[in-house]
Amino acid sequence: MIFARKKRDKNDMTTDGMIGQQLGQYQIVEMLGAGGMGSVYRAMQRALNRTVAVKVMLPQMAQEAGFLERFNREAQTAARLEHPHIVPVYDYGQQGQYTYIVMRYLTGGSLQERINGLIAENRPLPSLEEADELLTQIASAMDYAHSLGVIHRDIKLGNIMFDHQGRAYVVDFGIAKLMSETSSLTHTGATIGTPSFMPPEQWKGDPVSPASDQYALGILMYACLLYTSPSPRD
């Protein structure tokens, strides 16, 4: 198993106005995290009696011209990706001001959380053997996606999740592309992506390619082993 996760403290759970709401057949139970595009929740799909993860986009995004068309397109693309190390997309939809994507619920936390846990507990960072196993899993997922013409655009520690057996999954395929096409974000002049993981062409706003994801993966592995980003001299 890849380095063990830090147990989650129930006292750290965050709630907001979405808790208890029903989106389609999914009842929102708990907020798991938030980002630039929206928030991720643990939810219950009553029809199948299973727990799922629901990513809810920022409400103002649905008001943009063409957003729903782009959202549907990217959700469909993500749902077509079937690989052992890409999180499965079960469903997507729109209800009122909310657009959402439903994914498999992974209980093992993110790579960012696991690294943070090791640092907080003053434990060693991943060994070369563990890093090699992680790299193999992530790279195979990326190679598969690239073979279908899909580029992630935001490979980072927080977008690598684990199941209860320690298997790694890449999450949020299509989300970074959706961000790059959203005018309320791009009109601010903000660069879409996570700065410390972005390749030069993404910084410049030039077209990205599979090599862009490969660059980000290299930074991710560097950060995983040393918990720092390489400087321009490295």
Side-chain angles (χ1 to χ4, degrees):
M1 176 183 291
I2 295 173
F3 42 97
R5 66 174 297 203
K6 180 178 182 290
K7 289 185 178 180
R8 191 175 180 200
D9 185 348
K10 290 185 178 180
N11 293 326
D12 292 337
M13 294 181 183
T14 304
T15 60
D16 66 8
M18 289 294 298
I19 306 304
Q21 290 199 37
Q22 192 86 15
L23 291 179
Q25 56 179 309
Y26 310 99
Q27 183 174 16
I28 304 299
V29 176
E30 171 196 359
M31 185 179 184
L32 300 176
M37 282 283 282
S39 300
V40 180
Y41 299 88
R42 178 170 64 89
M44 177 61 67
Q45 183 180 12
R46 297 298 182 187
L48 296 178
N49 193 31
R50 70 174 174 182
T51 301
V52 296
V54 178
K55 183 154 195 168
V56 182
M57 304 296 119
L58 294 173
Q60 60 266 33
M61 296 175 63
Q63 301 173 11
E64 292 195 6
F67 174 79
L68 289 179
E69 180 182 351
R70 297 194 303 273
F71 173 81
N72 290 337
R73 182 180 69 238
E74 297 307 324
Q76 290 169 8
T77 297
R80 286 196 296 267
L81 298 177
E82 297 184 5
H83 186 274
H85 297 290
I86 295 177
V87 66
V89 172
Y90 295 150
D91 194 8
Y92 65 95
Q94 193 264 339
Q95 179 174 305
Q97 62 180 329
Y98 299 112
T99 50
Y100 59 92
I101 299 177
V102 183
M103 300 164 285
R104 178 180 172 185
Y105 176 59
L106 299 173
T107 60
S110 71
L111 180 57
Q112 181 72 71
E113 292 171 334
R114 292 189 173 204
I115 294 291
N116 288 347
L118 295 177
I119 297 296
E121 297 169 5
N122 198 27
R123 296 166 54 199
L125 288 170
S127 67
L128 290 176
E129 290 77 13
E130 290 174 320
D132 179 66
E133 180 184 354
L134 178 65
L135 176 61
T136 298
Q137 294 179 14
I138 300 173
S140 67
M142 288 171 49
D143 185 59
Y144 164 77
H146 293 163
S147 72
L148 298 178
V150 179
I151 302 169
H152 191 286
R153 302 164 186 254
D154 196 20
I155 295 294
K156 60 182 178 181
L157 297 172
N159 277 338
I160 307 301
M161 302 287 294
F162 297 91
D163 65 13
H164 68 285
Q165 294 181 312
R167 288 185 291 255
Y169 294 79
V170 182
V171 304
D172 273 2
F173 268 100
I175 297 299
K177 184 177 181 183
L178 194 62
M179 288 179 69
S180 70
E181 296 176 342
T182 300
S183 61
S184 64
L185 297 174
T186 55
H187 285 176
T188 65
T191 303
I192 302 303
T194 303
S196 57
F197 293 86
M198 286 168 50
E201 64 273 17
Q202 200 166 350
W203 272 107
K204 297 175 183 177
D206 293 338
V208 295
S209 69
S212 305
D213 281 349
Q214 293 162 5
Y215 178 101
L217 178 57
I219 301 296
L220 181 144
M221 296 309 302
Y222 189 103
C224 185
L225 290 167
L226 300 176
Y227 201 56
T228 184
S229 298
S231 71
R233 296 174 295 177
D234 289 338

